[in-house]
Amino acid sequence: MKWKNQVQTRAAVAQSAPSCSPGFTTKVTNGVSEVVSLPRNIRSRNHNIMTSSIPHGKLIGREFEAQQLVTALISSQVEIPVSVVSIVGVGGIGKTALAQHVYSNARITENFDVRMWICVTCLLDELRITKEMLESASSSRFRHGGITNFNRLQAALKARLASKRFLLVLDDVWNNDNRTIAIEQENWQKLLAPLKDGANGSKILLTTRSSIVAEMLQSSYIISLETLQVNDCWSLVKTSVFDETEHTINSKLENIGREIAETLSGLPLAAKVVAGHLKCKHSVDEWKQVLQRNAVWEEIMPILRTSYDNLSPHLKQCFAYCSIFPRNWEFEAEQLILLWLAQGFVNPDGCRRLEDIGKEYINDLRNKSFFTIQKKEFVSYYVIPPVIYELAKSVAAEECFRIGGDEWTRIPSSVRHLSVHLDSLSALDDTIPYKNLRTLIFLPSRTVAPINVSIPPVALNNIRSLRVLDLSLCMMDRLPDSISNCVHLRYLNISSTTIVTVPEFLCKLYHLQVLNLSGCRLGKLPSRMNNLVNLRHLTAANQIISAITDIGRLKYLQRLPTFKVTRERTQSIVQLGYLLELQGSLQIRNLENIDAPNEAKEAMLCKKHQLSVLQLMWASDRDEVNGNREEDVLEALQPHENLKRLDIAGWMGVKSPNWLENEWLSNLELIFLSGCNAWEQLPPLGQLPSIRIIWLQRLKMLRQIGPEAYGSGSQMETFQSLEELVLDDMPELNEWLWSDQTMRNLQNVVIKDCNKLKALPPVPPNLTEITIAGKGYWVPYHHDVKSARRSSVSSLCIFNCPLLLARLSAQMNTEIIARFRSLRSIITDQMTILTCSLLEDRLELIESLDIQDCSEITSFSADDDDILLQLKSLRSLCISGCNTLRSLPSTLSSVQSLDKLVLWNCPALESLTEEPLPQSVRKIEVALCHPLLKERLIKEYGVDWPKIKHIPWIEIDGEILQSPRIAQASGSSLHWVRPF
């Protein structure tokens, strides 16, 4: 009966807003309201079933979304006669209101022959929904005559909709967690089967709180509704209170109303409810009472809570736990999951890692709109929407609490999970039930500067039941002795503290799963660290982790960045054999200390299917080498086939291992071979189907790369995924033999310190970046001009290659010149490259110029200035590592296309040009130049400041003096530092 409770709650809330007689609504035309009849299919037909009514007046804050929806609904796709459009968002966000507005849009009514509105609610009642669709699609005289046979109803519906363009609105659709997605999808397919015979362009409009539902019904278009802006909330309140009439409101009421709007978390439903409270109130005191009482959430919370009530028990406790963090907290998925693990919220299923199950939990909550994802640079964070945060506080009020900021009230005796802002430590007195706490986390202070305070002893002296303790933001140089009593502790974070020694008693906390020591200046770990047999995540400096003896006892350990092999049993390669849950990256060093291949086999690398990166390293400064033994060791170190990257460094065998000769590593994307000086020929890398990057470095004996690199297949079938090729410090390499049919997807080639490599075979036309350094002489070519003209080399980097520059300056053949017709970026240590015949008639197309390590240049010559003027498309200029450079090109101010200027590590550079930089420049970065230059660029007062003050982004030695963000900083919220 959950749907009935939801219906009754919604109905109660709706009573506080203006309404019309049943079956009618108001329509505003030219400012005049009139009562009009509702479409029959959205009238309420009994008191137990809630159906929404068309809202009166204009839509506020959703105009863009409404336009998008109308466009999506009236578009036709020949390949999909009936398609689904979905509106997804949390409860009260305005999904139904938006759907109703679009439903009555003139373009929609004209476009569809039949329109149907069905309120689905929590449970999928196929018989009821089919009856309502049939009645909605039929004339007013139609009655289903008491038909209860589902198949007969479906047949009638199919006949009614055949060859008609229809719009079906399925409002408030939920997914049933007690059924699998496959079963739910099958039920929906059966229910909607009669709709397949509708005319092309028919649409189903879905409103739901769960993105899973939208994906399950294969939505072709999804709109995810966000919260309203404060101004829109206030407009909605004001419009509802004063019935959309032109009403002049006094300034005091206006100010209070805006304050009220700020408390509504952007929720349209909250705006409607608060409008009901203000409807008959016209004095300042009455509006202040509404603001201070803040009773709106008491009425709205039951509606939001329906989403929470439909969660499974494990998701309920995971979600409620998040309320101990501040509003808009940016959760990193991995760290949040570890907190859930420590509390025992993640239920094991016997075959999957607990972390993987926790990841499924967080994705389930996201799909049900309890989290949204925010991306910053390369990191994705999970954030609880403001309205859902209010729900989290409501459902967790008895067990979860936060001290500090605007949340501080009396702490209930039932509290189990507590977080404390560092500027509120004075609240930690003996009234808090510390002995019942399961979580104690210290959060950053609300002030900008860190606070140097001490945690009151009362907070740490009686916390025996604690599972989670986070002291990472606390100023302490030693771990309190009272922590030794926390025998149930699962999660301990003391990262970034000034602790230099970890006490031995830590090794008695046998239940510990997570220990974060990153940023601590530790010399070593306690000698009995291997007693922590439940430890899953250990974060500390690589050198002290690799020193743990008998680390194989930590069989649940997930990550081990570095392992150093010794001849002692307690640190031999055998220890790795017990760590079957290792994942991510593993670097194994000092492999020369393995005496017998059988020891290497006991590491069982072939069973570590979670590893994605494996680095096998032998010391490079060995006096004695047993090549045969090293071949056998490498053979025994066969990795799992899931491996993505493999590094082999310092190995001195001659014959490749069998697992590298065949196609075992079918998922390998990158291989790095370095310092393997006895290797005279490459293994058949060409037959690795997924290989994207090949990096060969310091293979001293390798003279030629020929057919052996392709394997048994034809050259047409090899290196088909290869995108990047690096040949670095290969002193004897003189040729690589391949045909012009291989490496068709190669995009980037780096040739460095390969002095004997005079030429390579034809390079495929997809090549876009070329780097030649260390006295290289090679340039790419094609057999014919036609193939060269298809080339797309856009970036050329040449360093320390005098012979090559001389060759480029000489008259070149048509094929080579045509190879660079798409060139747009140049990185070089010599300005002379800009005068070579290769770039003849192409200078005006160059967009990026990077001049690095020109150690002999003191100033730019008149010829250089003339060249700079020819760079009519130049957008980015970077000058770095020019130790003797004293002045910039005098014509720099005339380069009107310039967008970005970078000056880095030019210690003799004291000033900019005489004239101001071009108005087109949007960003300038200056670092590690002469101190006088920094002084001349001081904001407002520096001599050269007038030359750059028009530039939006100015960064000097890492300090941002001017940026678009600085102007908005006063209105932005403090960025919280995560306590993990």
Side-chain angles (χ1 to χ4, degrees):
M1 299 299 290
K2 289 183 179 179
W3 68 270
K4 285 191 176 181
N5 295 333
Q6 178 195 18
V7 168
Q8 292 165 0
T9 303
R10 285 194 168 189
V13 173
Q15 289 175 3
S16 63
S19 60
C20 298
S21 301
F24 295 87
T25 187
T26 57
K27 181 177 73 174
V28 178
T29 307
N30 297 326
V32 179
S33 296
E34 59 177 326
V35 178
V36 295
S37 175
L38 287 177
R40 187 177 191 283
N41 53 289
I42 59 171
R43 298 182 189 177
S44 179
R45 280 180 291 275
N46 79 50
H47 295 292
N48 292 324
I49 298 177
M50 186 277 293
T51 56
S52 304
S53 60
I54 298 293
H56 69 282
K58 65 179 181 179
L59 195 67
I60 296 176
R62 301 290 190 207
E63 296 82 358
F64 178 69
E65 289 88 347
Q67 184 180 359
Q68 286 182 306
L69 270 178
V70 170
T71 302
L73 290 173
I74 65 177
S75 64
S76 296
Q77 296 174 289
V78 177
E79 66 277 10
I80 309 178
V82 181
S83 57
V84 180
V85 175
S86 291
I87 307 173
V88 179
V90 300
I93 200 71
K95 302 182 296 296
T96 299
L98 177 59
Q100 289 170 331
H101 184 87
V102 169
Y103 186 89
S104 58
N105 182 277
R107 295 172 66 192
I108 295 296
T109 58
E110 294 170 0
N111 190 72
F112 294 99
D113 304 318
V114 177
R115 292 181 301 145
M116 300 168 282
W117 184 290
I118 308 297
C119 185
V120 178
T121 68
C122 295
L123 300 178
L124 179 59
D125 186 339
E126 292 95 338
L127 189 63
R128 175 184 68 83
I129 293 173
T130 304
K131 283 183 179 180
E132 291 193 18
M133 282 195 290
L134 184 55
E135 184 173 347
S136 298
S138 304
S139 65
S140 59
R141 295 181 179 179
F142 174 82
R143 294 292 182 269
H144 51 73
I147 299 175
T148 58
N149 183 279
F150 179 70
N151 292 333
R152 289 179 61 189
L153 287 170
Q154 289 237 309
L157 180 61
K158 179 177 180 180
R160 182 69 184 91
L161 296 179
S163 302
K164 287 187 172 59
R165 176 181 279 193
F166 64 82
L167 170 63
L168 169 62
V169 178
L170 296 172
D171 184 35
D172 199 23
V173 180
W174 296 63
N175 67 300
N176 190 339
D177 285 336
N178 294 323
R179 298 177 181 173
T180 65
I181 295 296
I183 293 176
E184 280 277 277
Q185 193 168 30
E186 182 181 351
N187 290 339
W188 274 104
Q189 289 174 349
K190 181 174 65 172
L191 173 63
L192 300 177
L195 280 58
K196 293 180 180 179
D197 290 339
N200 183 51
S202 295
K203 291 291 194 301
I204 299 174
L205 177 59
L206 186 77
T207 73
T208 179
R209 304 186 187 193
S210 171
S211 61
I212 294 177
V213 173
E215 294 169 3
M216 180 178 63
L217 294 184
Q218 300 176 335
S219 301
S220 59
Y221 189 83
I222 299 176
I223 286 184
S224 297
L225 287 190
E226 304 292 338
T227 53
L228 294 179
Q229 299 295 322
V230 172
N231 285 340
D232 290 329
C233 270
W234 168 233
S235 296
L236 188 56
V237 170
K238 186 167 59 173
T239 301
S240 300
V241 170
F242 300 108
D243 295 330
E244 294 188 340
T245 57
E246 293 294 330
H247 182 90
T248 303
I249 181 172
N250 70 58
S251 59
K252 290 184 178 180
L253 286 182
E254 176 94 19
N255 291 336
I256 298 172
R258 289 188 177 277
E259 287 186 58
I260 293 173
E262 289 177 359
T263 69
L264 302 179
S265 299
L267 193 67
L269 180 60
K272 285 290 186 181
V273 171
V274 81
H277 285 274
L278 298 173
K279 181 72 175 176
C280 301
K281 296 177 175 63
H282 304 291
S283 70
V284 171
D285 289 340
E286 288 177 316
W287 280 44
K288 282 184 177 179
Q289 289 177 3
V290 173
L291 173 63
Q292 293 168 358
R293 193 178 63 206
N294 197 17
V296 175
W297 294 107
E298 296 176 8
E299 299 184 37
I300 295 174
M301 204 53 65
I303 294 176
L304 296 178
R305 182 149 184 156
T306 57
S307 297
Y308 174 81
D309 289 338
N310 278 275
L311 291 177
S312 53
H314 59 275
L315 291 183
K316 285 181 178 179
Q317 55 190 0
C318 288
F319 167 67
Y321 187 80
C322 297
S323 64
I324 65 174
F325 295 94
R327 188 187 308 271
N328 299 322
W329 187 269
E330 295 173 345
F331 293 96
E332 293 183 36
E334 182 178 355
Q335 298 300 335
L336 180 57
I337 291 167
L338 295 184
L339 292 173
W340 291 345
L341 283 180
Q343 297 298 340
F345 293 163
V346 179
N347 300 325
D349 64 6
C351 58
R352 289 185 298 166
R353 292 171 59 248
L354 290 173
E355 289 80 0
D356 293 335
I357 300 172
K359 183 66 173 177
E360 182 181 285
Y361 287 7
I362 202 169
N363 285 332
D364 284 347
L365 288 170
R366 178 205 170 195
N367 290 331
K368 296 174 186 295
S369 300
F370 288 88
F371 282 115
T372 59
I373 287 185
Q374 291 183 2
K375 293 185 178 180
K376 290 188 176 180
E377 296 181 350
F378 302 106
V379 182
S380 294
Y381 299 104
Y382 288 77
V383 178
I384 299 177
V387 294
I388 299 300
Y389 183 74
E390 297 293 335
L391 173 64
K393 290 196 301 179
S394 173
V395 299
E398 296 302 314
E399 290 197 353
C400 301
F401 207 81
R402 179 164 66 91
I403 298 178
D406 56 353
E407 310 293 333
W408 189 4
T409 57
R410 187 186 65 83
I411 301 175
S413 59
S414 58
V415 67
R416 293 293 181 271
H417 310 290
L418 180 66
S419 66
V420 187
H421 288 276
L422 289 180
D423 51 2
S424 300
L425 291 179
S426 59
L428 295 178
D429 53 30
D430 55 8
T431 64
I432 297 175
Y434 296 105
K435 64 179 181 179
N436 296 328
L437 288 184
R438 301 294 187 271
T439 299
L440 181 58
I441 292 177
F442 292 92
L443 300 174
S445 66
R446 295 272 178 160
T447 58
V448 176
I451 296 180
N452 189 357
V453 291
S454 299
I455 301 173
V458 67
L460 298 178
N461 287 342
N462 191 18
I463 49 176
R464 292 180 59 89
S465 299
L466 213 61
R467 268 67 170 171
V468 170
L469 177 61
D470 192 326
L471 302 169
S472 60
L473 296 174
C474 303
M475 307 291 286
M476 57 173 57
D477 53 14
R478 61 183 296 273
L479 198 62
D481 293 339
S482 57
I483 306 301
S484 62
N485 297 321
C486 299
V487 294
H488 301 289
L489 198 64
R490 266 84 166 164
Y491 181 108
L492 177 61
N493 185 359
I494 57 174
S495 63
S496 302
T497 62
T498 54
I499 293 175
V500 295
T501 303
V502 177
E504 285 288 338
F505 69 69
L506 189 72
C507 302
K508 294 182 179 180
L509 304 180
Y510 302 116
H511 295 292
L512 204 61
Q513 298 174 349
V514 178
L515 178 59
N516 192 340
L517 305 171
S518 62
C520 297
R521 299 178 180 178
L522 303 175
K524 62 179 181 178
L525 292 175
S527 59
R528 293 176 294 167
M529 281 294 292
N530 52 45
N531 284 348
L532 301 178
V533 293
N534 289 295
L535 198 63
R536 305 178 69 87
H537 298 270
L538 173 60
T539 308
N542 289 347
Q543 65 269 22
I544 64 174
I545 295 179
S546 62
I548 297 176
T549 58
D550 273 330
I551 198 171
R553 294 186 63 193
L554 311 182
K555 61 180 181 179
Y556 299 114
L557 198 64
Q558 307 286 300
R559 296 185 185 276
L560 181 61
T562 302
F563 181 81
K564 292 184 179 179
V565 179
T566 72
R567 288 187 166 85
E568 298 294 329
R569 180 71 182 180
T570 56
Q571 288 182 295
S572 72
I573 191 72
V574 176
Q575 293 292 325
L576 291 178
Y578 304 103
L579 306 178
L580 295 180
E581 293 203 24
L582 287 181
Q583 61 173 324
S585 176
L586 172 62
Q587 182 186 87
I588 309 177
R589 305 180 66 89
N590 301 113
L591 286 166
E592 69 278 1
N593 288 326
I594 298 179
D595 292 321
N598 286 339
E599 292 183 14
K601 196 168 186 178
E602 288 187 52
M604 292 195 289
L605 296 183
C606 60
K607 293 187 178 181
K608 295 176 175 34
H609 60 91
Q610 303 267 10
L611 280 183
S612 56
V613 177
L614 178 62
Q615 297 174 295
L616 304 175
M617 307 182 71
W618 285 257
S620 57
D621 54 350
R622 289 173 285 160
D623 295 330
E624 297 182 5
V625 174
N626 185 330
N628 292 332
R629 185 179 66 188
E630 297 208 359
E631 288 178 9
D632 293 338
V633 167
L634 185 56
E635 185 70 50
L637 293 174
Q638 177 178 341
H640 193 275
E641 60 183 333
N642 290 344
L643 200 68
K644 301 292 185 183
R645 170 176 173 170
L646 173 65
D647 294 7
I648 302 176
W651 179 70
M652 294 303 292
V654 175
K655 182 182 179 301
S656 304
N658 289 327
W659 48 264
L660 202 52
E661 296 278 351
N662 54 38
E663 298 183 19
W664 170 251
L665 297 178
S666 58
N667 296 296
L668 196 68
E669 297 179 1
L670 186 155
I671 188 166
F672 174 69
L673 306 176
S674 175
C676 304
N677 293 331
W679 222 335
E680 296 183 358
Q681 68 176 32
L682 290 180
L685 303 179
Q687 65 186 20
L688 297 173
S690 303
I691 199 73
R692 295 190 303 107
I693 299 173
I694 295 177
W695 192 314
L696 307 179
Q697 181 185 74
R698 295 196 302 275
L699 305 183
K700 304 294 186 181
M701 299 297 292
L702 194 64
R703 293 178 173 81
Q704 182 188 75
I705 301 176
E708 74 284 348
Y710 302 99
S712 57
S714 67
Q715 291 191 13
M716 288 283 291
E717 300 172 347
T718 57
F719 296 113
Q720 291 306 301
S721 300
L722 190 64
E723 299 173 1
E724 182 174 339
L725 171 64
V726 180
L727 304 177
D728 181 11
D729 192 10
M730 311 273 280
E732 299 300 322
L733 183 64
N734 57 67
E735 64 178 345
W736 184 321
L737 304 174
W738 71 56
S739 73
D740 58 356
Q741 298 299 315
T742 192
M743 298 191 183
R744 303 298 296 174
N745 293 306
L746 190 64
Q747 300 173 19
N748 186 10
V749 170
V750 177
I751 310 292
K752 179 178 178 293
D753 292 324
C754 299
N755 301 340
K756 292 186 178 181
L757 186 63
K758 300 301 181 184
L760 285 174
V763 174
N766 288 328
L767 193 67
T768 58
E769 299 180 39
I770 298 174
T771 299
I772 309 162
K775 301 179 181 179
Y777 191 65
W778 170 83
V779 291
Y781 70 93
H782 278 279
H783 285 310
D784 58 85
V785 178
K786 182 178 179 180
S787 178
R789 286 175 179 168
R790 296 198 309 267
S791 69
S792 55
V793 174
S794 58
S795 177
L796 177 63
C797 175
I798 297 180
F799 272 88
N800 190 24
C801 298
L803 293 177
L804 178 57
L805 280 178
R807 181 181 178 187
L808 295 178
S809 299
Q811 192 65 33
M812 303 188 71
N813 61 41
T814 307
E815 290 87 348
I816 293 180
I817 292 178
R819 190 72 180 88
F820 294 92
R821 62 188 304 111
S822 300
L823 192 62
R824 296 293 182 269
S825 174
I826 295 177
I827 305 173
T828 186
D829 61 346
Q830 294 291 330
M831 285 289 291
T832 55
I833 190 175
L834 299 177
T835 62
C836 68
S837 59
L838 177 68
L839 299 178
E840 189 175 359
D841 301 327
R842 284 181 172 80
L843 286 178
E844 62 181 19
L845 301 177
I846 301 300
E847 298 176 358
S848 176
L849 177 60
D850 194 342
I851 303 169
Q852 299 182 13
D853 301 327
C854 286
S855 56
E856 299 176 358
I857 186 173
T858 58
S859 62
F860 288 84
S861 65
D863 290 340
D864 294 334
D865 285 348
D866 291 341
I867 290 175
L868 200 61
L869 289 175
Q870 296 181 51
L871 301 174
K872 299 184 182 300
S873 301
L874 189 67
R875 294 179 54 81
S876 175
L877 175 62
C878 177
I879 302 175
S880 63
C882 300
N883 296 330
T884 59
L885 181 66
R886 295 183 178 276
S887 62
L888 296 177
S890 59
T891 56
L892 186 60
S893 58
S894 301
V895 183
Q896 296 302 318
S897 60
L898 193 64
D899 179 79
K900 178 181 178 181
L901 175 64
V902 178
L903 305 172
W904 184 78
N905 195 23
C906 299
L909 186 62
E910 299 179 354
S911 65
L912 299 180
T913 56
E914 291 295 327
E915 299 296 326
L917 293 179
Q919 291 294 318
S920 60
V921 178
R922 312 300 296 168
K923 186 173 186 178
I924 180 173
E925 297 178 15
V926 179
L928 301 177
C929 294
H930 196 284
L932 183 59
L933 178 58
K934 182 177 182 179
E935 183 178 331
R936 294 173 66 94
L937 295 177
I938 294 176
K939 188 172 185 178
E940 306 294 348
Y941 303 107
V943 176
D944 282 344
W945 176 257
K947 301 175 184 178
I948 64 172
K949 67 179 183 180
H950 62 281
I951 300 176
W953 183 287
I954 301 174
E955 184 175 337
I956 311 296
D957 282 338
E959 180 184 0
I960 300 175
L961 303 185
Q962 189 161 283
S963 80
R965 291 204 301 264
I966 290 179
Q968 303 170 3
S970 58
S972 61
S973 59
L974 181 67
H975 177 73
W976 295 105
V977 180
R978 287 168 297 281
F980 304 120

